[in-house]
Amino acid sequence: AAAELGQSRGLVSVRDGCLRPEASTVTWRVGDGPSFVDAPELRCLAGGALAAERAKAAPKIALVGPTEENEQADKIRVFTKRQELVNGYAAYEKRGWMSTTMLWHAGQHWFFGAAAELGQNRGWASLSDGCLRPEASSGTWQVPLPGGGWRDAPELRCRQDT
């Protein structure tokens, strides 16, 4: 939160004398309730390293797997990467006979939904993950419940299409 800016607290930390977080050579730590745990795979990217990681986005991805009550099953498909970034991330589309379905990043989530929602913080399904590419995620997708709220769809995954 903005109130914690400059304070010695937060959700992620690295104790290193470097001037830029991307220059750190020590292990980052992540808040886990009242304590912190090592996160050896966590790293901070900037500049060329960030651009290179984003460039690894697959040209085609497939959203695959069942949902508990087949929610959104008619919309789960193969998506093609668009030329334009959306919110600084790769975005994907699947053109259909009557509509276009999109997959994009907004806020802290990946979404798939209608083209009219592109770039917005909503959609037919959501993945809360800080990954730069949806196919690199190990998180759990969620689908909306009919009466409101969200349900985990643990078998729904984004995979690179070959």
Side-chain angles (χ1 to χ4, degrees):
E4 294 181 347
L5 190 60
Q7 302 295 315
S8 214
R9 59 179 176 247
L11 299 175
V12 179
S13 73
V14 64
R15 294 191 183 267
D16 193 332
C18 62
L19 297 176
R20 299 179 327 272
E22 69 273 16
S24 178
T25 58
V26 300
T27 301
W28 285 77
R29 296 181 52 81
V30 178
D32 183 24
S35 62
F36 278 77
V37 295
D38 286 349
E41 301 289 321
L42 187 62
R43 56 200 163 112
C44 186
L45 299 175
L50 177 59
E53 191 65 27
R54 285 185 172 156
K56 292 179 186 177
K60 286 188 176 187
I61 57 172
L63 191 58
V64 298
T67 58
E68 189 170 311
E69 294 182 24
N70 288 323
E71 298 101 340
Q72 313 305 339
D74 60 324
K75 298 171 183 77
I76 296 171
R77 51 190 60 161
V78 175
F79 295 84
T80 303
K81 185 174 151 185
R82 296 167 33 112
Q83 290 293 328
E84 308 83 21
L85 297 178
V86 174
N87 299 327
Y89 292 78
Y92 296 84
E93 67 184 356
K94 172 62 178 171
R95 295 186 183 273
W97 178 64
M98 300 272 298
S99 64
T100 300
T101 303
M102 310 295 289
L103 193 144
W104 67 91
H105 190 276
Q108 297 298 313
H109 302 272
W110 284 93
F111 293 94
F112 85 93
E117 296 178 322
L118 180 65
Q120 298 179 50
N121 206 359
R122 64 175 186 238
W124 298 322
S126 167
L127 170 67
S128 180
D129 193 324
C131 64
L132 296 174
R133 304 179 326 259
E135 72 275 17
S137 173
S138 59
T140 300
W141 283 86
Q142 293 187 317
V143 293
L145 292 168
W150 293 82
R151 169 195 341 235
D152 284 352
E155 294 184 53
L156 193 58
R157 291 278 178 247
C158 233
R159 300 283 184 236
Q160 181 170 342
D161 186 54
T162 55

